[in-house]
Amino acid sequence: MNGNLKKILIAVVIIVVLFFVYRFFFAGSGPVAALKIETAQSSASAQAGKDFLVALLNLQHINLDAGSAILEDGDFIRLRDMSVSLPDEPQGRPNPFRPLGEDSTTPISPVFQATSTPAATSTRSTTP
């Protein structure tokens, strides 16, 4: 009877563990909480969209024509150009993804050509 009792207890423990695993992974109120969060986010994004449209409509009323007071203001006239010219930098390799030592400026020709030409001979010398 001791062996049968042991088997029954093991089966009960396995069933209880499987029940809790099922409850943890497959059952619960997860989707309901996600719907509430999505609703809150969508209303916040709608409000942000409305704020953006109001700001855009306010910008349409600004006029920067030649007679505008902004362009004739003393502060605007006193502005100085502080830009810095950047020196030319040397360019890198033509194709940075090719292996080192295979840099060439000639374009890569396709493997199969439409015309029938004999195969090109190697230009490497075989002497050490």
Side-chain angles (χ1 to χ4, degrees):
M1 187 86 178
N2 193 12
N4 286 339
L5 182 63
K6 187 175 182 180
K7 290 179 185 179
I8 292 173
L9 284 176
I10 291 174
V12 168
V13 168
I14 290 174
I15 290 172
V16 169
V17 168
L18 288 176
F19 172 75
F20 282 112
V21 168
Y22 171 77
R23 292 267 309 190
F24 182 73
F25 286 110
F26 300 110
S29 61
V32 174
L35 288 176
K36 290 179 184 176
I37 292 171
E38 289 175 12
T39 303
Q41 288 176 348
S42 65
S43 66
S45 64
Q47 182 62 33
K50 289 177 184 177
D51 293 342
F52 177 74
L53 287 176
V54 167
L56 183 62
L57 290 174
N58 288 337
L59 287 176
Q60 287 181 346
H61 297 294
I62 296 175
N63 188 4
L64 293 177
D65 291 335
S68 178
I70 294 174
L71 300 177
E72 295 172 357
D73 187 57
D75 291 333
F76 181 78
I77 293 172
R78 283 190 297 269
L79 289 175
R80 302 264 183 242
D81 183 14
M82 303 289 285
S83 62
V84 177
S85 65
L86 298 175
D88 289 335
E89 296 285 331
Q91 290 185 344
R93 297 171 39 181
N95 185 353
F97 299 106
R98 291 190 73 171
L100 292 175
E102 292 186 12
D103 292 336
S104 66
T105 57
T106 59
I108 301 172
S109 62
V111 176
F112 297 106
Q113 295 179 349
T115 61
S116 60
T117 59
T121 57
S122 174
T123 59
R124 267 201 264 171
S125 82
T126 57
T127 59

